[in-house]
Amino acid sequence: MASEKTADREIDELTGTPTTGHSWDGIKELDTPMPRWWLWTFYGCILFAIVYVVLYPAIPMATRATSGVLGWSSRAEVRTEIAEAQAAQSVFGDKIAAASMDQIVANPDLFQFAARAGRSAFLVNCVQCHGAGAQGSVGFPNLQDDDWLWGGTPEQIRTTIAHGIRSDDPDTHVSQMPAFGHDGILKSDQIVNVSAYVMTLSGLTPRFGITAEGQTVFADNCASCHGVDGAGNKDVGAPSLKDAIWLRSSDQNAIIAQITNPKMGIMPAWEPRLGPVAVKELAAYVYSLGGGTAPPATN
Amino acid sequence: MSLQDSVERLNAEAVNSADRRGPLFAARTKIHPKRAEGAFRRLKWIIMAVTLAIYYVTPWIRFDRGPNSPDQAVLIDLASRRFYFFFIEIWPQEFFYVAGLLIMAGLGLFLITSVAGRVWCGYTCPQTVWVDLFLVVERFFEGDRNKRIALDKAPMSADKFVKRASKYTVWLFIAVATGGAWIFYFADAPTLLKEVFTLQAAPVAYMTVAILTATTFIFGGFMREQVCTYMCPWPRIQAAMLDEQSLTVTYNDWRGEPRSRHQKRALAAGESVGDCVDCNACVAVCPMGIDIRDGQQMECITCALCIDACDGVMDKIGREHGLISYTTLADYDANMALARGDGVTIDPARVREGGTGPLKPGVAHFNWRHLVRLRTLIYLALWSAIGVAMIVSLATRPRLESSVLHDRNPLYVRLADGGIRNAYTVKLANMENTPRNIQLRIEGLPDGIIALPGRIVAGNEATITLPPDQVETLRLLVSLPAQPVTRERIDFTIVATDAASGETSHSSAVFELPKENGR
């Protein structure tokens, strides 16, 4: 490779263009100027960049970028957009705040809006326990079915969401099932017998235990909460034992374990976190899933 | 003064003449088309007026569709995803009608091109129409061809500045009006016009106007034929649809050659001369700047202004029209063979009585029967078939549509009494612009019980009032009582019926059961 530079530049014969003086294997590089439009575009970009750096956040500093004379920031813009969106929805929000749950359910427009808003709140706050389709799982109630521990009217659903179950809210739902085996209230054969009886209540066939003796144990120890016929009591959150729905398991060993040392779920109180409007929206969404028990609203 | 000498000889040379063809792309040579007069120029004026009128006026036509729909005859409502064309309303899922129209446009182009060549380019293409309009303005302020050439060469003066500024101002006004008219197809025109002038219209409206103004101004005012030659793919595509029976603008050299600038002198000297006096009128009027006498060329848009110019010259020298004419290649070849005889030289005596008299009877002329041939008939049949199919489909298309989506999470819900319930998202589309009462029920699930949260169900049938021209989304719950079931899924149908008109829409659905249910 040979390189030479001369003060008077060589002119290429064929094109009439000056050469740069570089040559590779005898091929000389022409010094063709940039097109004018290209240069002006380039200068324009430089000018744009300078103006941009002055106006907008641009240069990274130790903790944050320079702020720019306009004071613009993407976070402030998001805050403005959120405020605008909230303002646009406030018409419905105010109506929901003022209405009772029954009034919300009876008003198709309001119900639809509340249920949709509630769905987005549900997908953020509730799916962790109750599942994305509100189908629940072992120990976490299915919200789509028609079995309700604390009642399935819109207002009852709202109360449960607002104050929680066994939460630290003063108005929370509290119910306590005694640990019949752990605390020595019942003997183990009594527990086995009552488990057998409980299974017959919902038409299941127990594998062991004496059903007739279990019935006596049930009447003495369980009927006060679960009812004489085992239909449960929504005032105290006692599950119905005669329906086909089991919060945990219908397996006899699981029933025995539950009687011996019961597990009891906890749901937080949501009103202090989300506010009364979001709780009403959540209740409307849960009710819209179809398992609620309130009288149907008008079309 | 002889007849021939009365014809003005114009100093014009084709941009793509064989001598000048060098590199594949050369810097543009400005073209100054001379004004033509004649039958084809009149046809072009008429088509220009009609097409411009259609473009500018259409959004302003009102059409009463009742209280729930816009009253603009042609409206592309992107916000609510509707397309209105007079009494036809297209929903997004019916967009295939637009596809059908595009196919018809394509086949129509095949048909017209195989019949009459690239007449789309020459008469109706927006580029042609607007360039023509801009040329009218240019001619008004700067005069015809020679004056414009002189003005271009002249140094800047007050007079030249005023002429140029006036021309650009009117061009800009036309360009803004063109860009402005476009946006009225997408919103209520009177409302939008007010918004545009009070600076309340959407930014996209101003952007659209700005872009279309720029393209109109630049394409129509400055790039002109360059758009057709270098940017547009249509000339290449359309050229492929021609055959030897298609009409194309043709210089009939079998009667024009040998051309002579001094016909009378040549005749006196006993030389044979053709009809062409080499006056270059055909080149001067050509908006593409070509010389049709060089034969068919890619640049030719078949606008026939050269025919008008040449026919005017033929009148002056007392010869028949049609030295340049719409001719099929088959006719041209036949006449060419006649004029050549056995040799290669064209002899006017073979096509004219006595060499200068009327054309001989053996000369082939345009015959409309050439246009009716298998190729054009197939295009016409296909075009008509699609058109008829679309009309029939439009007349019988449903105005009530339903769709069902089974909730997958969970697939089913067990109820307290042991029954099984499935949930469905049902969408009912009322595609008419009046409210309708729709009855919803299920078929194929005899024990099934339906429920719609928040709505009354009477006797397993729910009545839903659908708002006009809208889709309503419902949550439908279907329950089966506890029973031994051997199948894990049951197919059934969800039926929506308009109580008033009886129009019915069926959607098939699946009822899912737990696997252990059959035990």
Side-chain angles (χ1 to χ4, degrees), chain A residues 6-279:
Chain A
T6 49
D8 297 300
R9 296 203 292 171
E10 190 186 352
I11 305 292
D12 178 61
E13 276 180 34
L14 276 173
T15 59
T17 309
T19 66
T20 61
H22 305 153
S23 95
W24 287 270
D25 294 340
I27 298 169
K28 287 172 182 164
E29 185 188 13
L30 298 184
D31 188 10
T32 311
M34 287 287 186
R36 190 72 59 81
W37 66 264
W38 192 98
L39 280 175
W40 281 113
T41 311
F42 179 56
Y43 297 147
C45 291
I46 293 174
L47 191 68
F48 176 85
I50 292 170
V51 172
Y52 187 95
V53 166
V54 171
L55 294 182
Y56 289 98
I59 303 167
M61 309 299 275
T63 53
R64 50 173 303 171
T66 50
S67 58
V69 296
L70 290 185
W72 182 91
S73 87
S74 52
R75 288 187 182 199
E77 192 157 86
V78 170
R79 272 197 293 277
T80 314
E81 285 175 11
I82 290 175
E84 282 172 7
Q86 283 172 342
Q89 292 178 356
S90 66
V91 184
F92 278 110
D94 294 346
K95 280 188 191 168
I96 289 170
S100 74
M101 279 314 294
D102 286 345
Q103 286 169 333
I104 291 173
V105 170
N107 179 335
D109 285 344
L110 205 55
F111 183 42
Q112 194 172 34
F113 178 89
R116 286 189 185 170
R119 180 179 144 77
S120 46
F122 187 89
L123 291 176
V124 174
N125 298 292
C126 313
V127 294
Q128 294 83 347
C129 294
H130 290 285
Q135 76 275 31
S137 64
V138 176
F140 299 97
N142 181 342
L143 304 177
Q144 292 227 16
D145 66 28
D146 57 348
D147 188 27
W148 296 88
L149 293 173
W150 296 93
T153 67
E155 182 53 35
Q156 285 169 328
I157 296 172
R158 190 203 69 79
T159 306
T160 304
I161 298 172
H163 303 294
I165 296 165
R166 303 180 192 94
S167 71
D168 48 11
D169 188 283
D171 297 324
T172 189
H173 288 317
V174 181
S175 65
Q176 190 82 23
M177 173 155 157
F180 288 99
H182 193 260
D183 294 345
I185 302 167
L186 293 176
K187 298 191 187 76
S188 59
D189 63 327
Q190 287 178 303
I191 292 175
V192 170
N193 290 341
V194 82
S195 76
Y197 173 70
V198 162
M199 288 185 77
T200 61
L201 284 178
S202 56
L204 298 172
T205 313
R207 283 179 287 161
F208 35 77
I210 304 158
T211 307
E213 290 188 8
Q215 185 169 11
T216 317
V217 179
F218 186 88
D220 293 345
N221 297 279
C222 313
S224 56
C225 289
H226 288 286
V228 178
D229 57 352
N233 183 348
K234 292 186 173 57
D235 292 335
V236 297
S240 163
L241 302 176
K242 57 185 291 191
D243 65 19
I245 295 168
W246 293 81
L247 179 57
R248 291 199 157 77
S249 172
S250 59
D251 179 79
Q252 194 166 8
N253 286 332
I255 295 170
I256 291 168
Q258 183 68 9
I259 298 168
T260 306
N261 193 12
K263 296 176 187 168
M264 283 166 288
I266 293 171
M267 175 161 103
W270 290 101
E271 196 159 275
R273 302 193 197 191
L274 302 178
V277 172
V279 166

Side-chain angles (χ1 to χ4, degrees), chain A residues 132-133 135 142 144-146 243-245 288-291 297-299, chain B residues 409-410 413-416 418 421 453-456 463-464 473 475 477:
Chain A
Q135 76 275 31
N142 181 342
Q144 292 227 16
D145 66 28
D146 57 348
D243 65 19
I245 295 168
S288 79
L289 294 171
T298 48
N299 190 344
Chain B
N409 188 14
V413 173
R414 186 184 291 280
L415 299 176
R421 192 176 70 198
R455 290 175 190 273
I456 293 172
T463 300
I464 291 113
T473 304
R475 188 175 157 84
L477 306 173

Side-chain angles (χ1 to χ4, degrees), chain B residues 70-399:
Chain B
D71 61 351
Q72 186 158 321
V74 177
L75 178 67
I76 302 161
D77 189 349
L78 291 178
S80 47
R81 297 184 201 85
R82 299 279 186 281
F83 173 56
Y84 298 95
F85 186 84
F86 291 93
F87 55 90
I88 301 171
E89 181 187 333
I90 304 272
W91 282 48
Q93 64 266 38
E94 298 175 309
F95 204 70
F96 54 83
Y97 286 114
V98 178
L101 278 180
L102 288 175
I103 294 170
M104 282 182 78
L107 285 172
L109 196 66
F110 293 179
L111 174 62
I112 194 73
T113 306
S114 68
V115 166
R118 285 171 46 193
V119 286
W120 164 262
C121 291
Y123 295 88
T124 38
C125 173
Q127 174 69 9
T128 290
V129 170
W130 262 275
V131 165
D132 232 16
L133 185 62
F134 275 39
L135 275 169
V136 173
V137 175
E138 188 166 271
R139 197 177 290 123
F140 178 80
F141 287 111
E142 300 182 355
D144 208 2
R145 174 181 163 82
N146 289 342
K147 282 187 180 170
R148 297 210 300 273
I149 293 173
L151 189 72
D152 267 9
K153 284 184 182 154
M156 183 52 75
S157 64
D159 178 54
K160 180 171 175 173
F161 180 81
V162 169
K163 282 179 175 170
R164 281 282 144 92
S166 318
K167 178 178 80 172
Y168 291 149
T169 307
V170 177
W171 277 3
L172 196 62
F173 176 79
I174 294 171
V176 171
T178 305
W182 181 252
I183 60 175
F184 295 133
Y185 285 87
F186 297 88
D188 183 59
T191 314
L192 183 59
L193 184 69
K194 208 178 294 169
E195 287 176 355
V196 164
F197 280 106
T198 52
L199 299 180
Q200 287 170 330
V204 67
Y206 293 107
M207 290 279 288
T208 307
V209 174
I211 291 170
L212 286 179
T213 300
T215 50
T216 308
F217 192 73
I218 294 168
F219 287 9
F222 300 98
M223 292 178 68
R224 294 185 179 173
E225 82 289 345
Q226 303 266 296
V227 173
C228 311
T229 308
Y230 295 107
M231 288 169 66
C232 182
W234 271 127
R236 275 82 169 169
I237 297 167
Q238 287 196 92
M241 296 161 201
L242 301 172
D243 60 26
E244 54 279 289
Q245 302 293 345
S246 307
L247 289 173
T248 51
V249 171
T250 309
Y251 168 61
N252 292 307
D253 46 6
W254 49 267
R255 61 171 269 204
E257 300 292 322
R259 71 184 79 162
S260 169
R261 294 212 164 194
H262 309 284
Q263 269 192 344
K264 206 182 176 191
R265 204 186 304 161
L267 279 170
E271 295 170 22
S272 71
V273 291
D275 291 345
C276 179
V277 293
D278 201 13
C279 66
N280 279 344
C282 53
V283 181
V285 297
C286 180
M288 301 298 291
I290 62 171
D291 186 345
I292 194 63
R293 294 172 301 177
D294 290 343
Q296 257 300 315
Q297 292 148 70
M298 195 274 294
E299 289 87 346
C300 177
I301 58 169
T302 328
C303 68
L305 293 183
C306 52
I307 298 181
D308 280 346
C310 190
D311 283 349
V313 173
M314 290 300 106
D315 283 342
K316 284 184 181 169
I317 65 169
R319 294 282 166 89
E320 303 96 330
H321 281 181
L323 174 55
I324 304 173
S325 67
Y326 270 112
T327 303
T328 69
L329 184 63
D331 281 350
Y332 170 84
D333 282 346
N335 291 336
M336 198 64 184
L338 190 67
R340 278 186 178 144
D342 300 328
V344 291
T345 317
I346 297 164
D347 182 0
R350 293 202 185 95
V351 289
R352 284 194 180 279
E353 304 288 354
T356 53
L359 289 170
K360 286 183 173 174
V363 170
H365 290 286
F366 168 70
N367 185 337
W368 63 267
R369 285 195 181 81
H370 291 170
L371 305 181
V372 184
R373 50 190 201 274
L374 186 61
R375 180 193 179 97
T376 55
L377 288 178
I378 289 174
Y379 287 148
L380 187 63
L382 286 174
W383 186 86
S384 315
I386 293 174
V388 169
M390 278 182 39
I391 290 170
V392 170
S393 165
L394 269 174
T396 58
R397 65 186 175 153
R399 297 287 80 191

Side-chain angles (χ1 to χ4, degrees), chain B residues 460-474:
Chain B
N460 233 11
E461 186 169 282
T463 300
I464 291 113
T465 304
L466 292 186
D469 199 44
Q470 271 183 41
V471 180
E472 191 87 338
T473 304
L474 307 163

